[in-house]
Amino acid sequence: MTIVSMNNIVKRYGNHLALDHIDLEIRAGEVLGLLGPNGAGKTTLIHALAGLIGTDFGSIQLFGQRHGRNNLAIKRRLGLVTQEVTIFDDLTAQENLAFFGGIYGLKGADLKQRIHETLAFVGLTDRASKRPTKFSGGMKRRLNIACSIIHQPELLIMDEPTVGIDPQSRNHILESVRELQRRGTTILYTTHYMEEIQNLASRVVILDQGHVIAQGTIADLVNNIKHEEKIKLEVSELSEELIAKIRQLDGVKMVVQEGTALHIISRSGAGNLDRVLSFARQAGGVRAIHAEKPSLEDVFLTLTGKQLRDSEGE
């Protein structure tokens, strides 16, 4: 069942077209991974879906109803985990939850019970009476999530929920996402960590320059570039001349530099592995070379021309 339908959405900021006739559906119970380079329009899409901004054209339907900035009934069925931590430092953890729970109409014994359950869910029961100023970055992120799920939303939008935190907190958050899905929550999840999408997402949407340029399961997207191969080359000395020679090879579609390594996308069967190896040896030596099967990272690289981690910031 489709619970979100964005049809022909257009959003402009002056002369900048942030969303260019976007069509997007989210199905009940899935984790939909939203990927895109910096400036792709991800945050604008999320804000439009959450009802924080209006759109210039098109319609958004949530739970079978038309959604807009003033539709409070729909907003109470949503949760938004913002990229920036939005909690009150001068309130304790449980006071933060009481405030946000009250916004969603919770009160009395129901609110008290939800605070208890939500703190336990995010692993902060022992910090209930502490202010966030005493928390690590990971604990603040978990409290941020708690404030977004205290009212048990049917649709949870998570915008970069693991930015800048320790591995333990990241693992806790990822397991929380899995558990929320098991409980029936539908989740829109955006991140710059490809491995999170690979571990969590039922489907993936790739956004670039305000367009949905690809969508489907990870297997579907990878299958679409099965006619390509990826070569990772690590060299002793990396020169512009070497990069230029590789780019000129027949069948080479893309060359991306990462330190002293090159990620090369080439047409499958073009025979470029030997040629690349020969060029690298002439240029001063090879540390390592690998031919790899396409991955979701390669799909993103092929479609956007960028690596996902290079696009942090939106």
CSV table of all heavy atoms in Angstrom, one decimal, residues 14 50 67 143 175 194 213 225 245 265 308:
chain,number,residue,atom,x,y,z
A,14,GLY,N,13.9,31.5,-5.9
A,14,GLY,CA,14.3,32.5,-6.9
A,14,GLY,C,14.5,31.9,-8.2
A,14,GLY,O,13.6,31.3,-8.8
A,50,ALA,N,7.5,16.9,4.9
A,50,ALA,CA,7.1,17.2,6.3
A,50,ALA,C,6.2,18.3,6.5
A,50,ALA,O,5.7,18.5,7.6
A,50,ALA,CB,8.4,17.4,7.1
A,67,HIS,N,-1.8,16.8,1.4
A,67,HIS,CA,-0.9,17.3,2.5
A,67,HIS,C,-0.5,18.7,2.2
A,67,HIS,O,-0.2,19.1,1.0
A,67,HIS,CB,0.3,16.4,2.6
A,67,HIS,CG,1.2,16.8,3.8
A,67,HIS,ND1,0.7,17.3,5.0
A,67,HIS,CD2,2.6,16.7,3.9
A,67,HIS,CE1,1.7,17.5,5.8
A,67,HIS,NE2,2.9,17.2,5.2
A,143,LEU,N,18.7,11.1,21.7
A,143,LEU,CA,17.6,11.9,22.3
A,143,LEU,C,16.8,12.6,21.2
A,143,LEU,O,15.6,12.8,21.2
A,143,LEU,CB,18.2,12.9,23.3
A,143,LEU,CG,17.2,13.8,24.0
A,143,LEU,CD1,16.1,13.0,24.7
A,143,LEU,CD2,17.8,14.8,25.0
A,175,GLU,N,20.2,-0.2,14.6
A,175,GLU,CA,19.4,-1.3,15.1
A,175,GLU,C,18.0,-0.7,15.5
A,175,GLU,O,17.0,-1.4,15.3
A,175,GLU,CB,20.0,-1.9,16.3
A,175,GLU,CG,19.3,-3.1,16.9
A,175,GLU,CD,18.9,-4.2,15.8
A,175,GLU,OE1,19.8,-4.5,14.9
A,175,GLU,OE2,17.8,-4.6,15.8
A,194,MET,N,27.0,5.1,2.6
A,194,MET,CA,26.4,4.1,1.7
A,194,MET,C,26.1,2.8,2.4
A,194,MET,O,25.1,2.1,2.1
A,194,MET,CB,27.3,3.9,0.5
A,194,MET,CG,26.7,3.0,-0.6
A,194,MET,SD,25.3,3.9,-1.5
A,194,MET,CE,26.2,5.0,-2.5
A,213,ILE,N,16.7,10.4,-10.6
A,213,ILE,CA,17.4,9.8,-11.8
A,213,ILE,C,17.4,8.3,-11.7
A,213,ILE,O,17.7,7.7,-12.8
A,213,ILE,CB,18.8,10.4,-11.9
A,213,ILE,CG1,19.6,10.1,-10.6
A,213,ILE,CG2,18.7,11.9,-12.2
A,213,ILE,CD1,21.1,10.4,-10.8
A,225,ILE,N,23.7,-1.6,-14.2
A,225,ILE,CA,25.0,-1.3,-14.7
A,225,ILE,C,25.9,-2.5,-14.7
A,225,ILE,O,27.1,-2.5,-14.7
A,225,ILE,CB,25.7,-0.2,-13.8
A,225,ILE,CG1,25.9,-0.7,-12.4
A,225,ILE,CG2,24.9,1.1,-13.8
A,225,ILE,CD1,26.9,0.1,-11.6
A,245,LYS,N,45.6,9.9,-19.5
A,245,LYS,CA,45.8,8.7,-20.4
A,245,LYS,C,44.7,7.7,-20.2
A,245,LYS,O,44.2,7.1,-21.1
A,245,LYS,CB,47.2,8.1,-20.2
A,245,LYS,CG,48.3,9.0,-20.8
A,245,LYS,CD,49.7,8.4,-20.4
A,245,LYS,CE,50.0,7.2,-21.3
A,245,LYS,NZ,51.4,6.7,-21.0
A,265,ILE,N,35.5,3.5,-13.8
A,265,ILE,CA,34.4,2.8,-14.3
A,265,ILE,C,34.5,2.6,-15.8
A,265,ILE,O,34.8,3.6,-16.6
A,265,ILE,CB,33.1,3.6,-14.1
A,265,ILE,CG1,32.9,3.8,-12.6
A,265,ILE,CG2,31.9,2.8,-14.6
A,265,ILE,CD1,32.6,2.6,-11.7
A,308,LEU,N,29.6,9.4,-2.9
A,308,LEU,CA,28.6,9.9,-2.0
A,308,LEU,C,29.2,10.7,-0.8
A,308,LEU,O,28.7,11.7,-0.4
A,308,LEU,CB,27.8,8.7,-1.4
A,308,LEU,CG,26.6,9.0,-0.5
A,308,LEU,CD1,25.6,9.9,-1.2
A,308,LEU,CD2,26.0,7.8,0.0
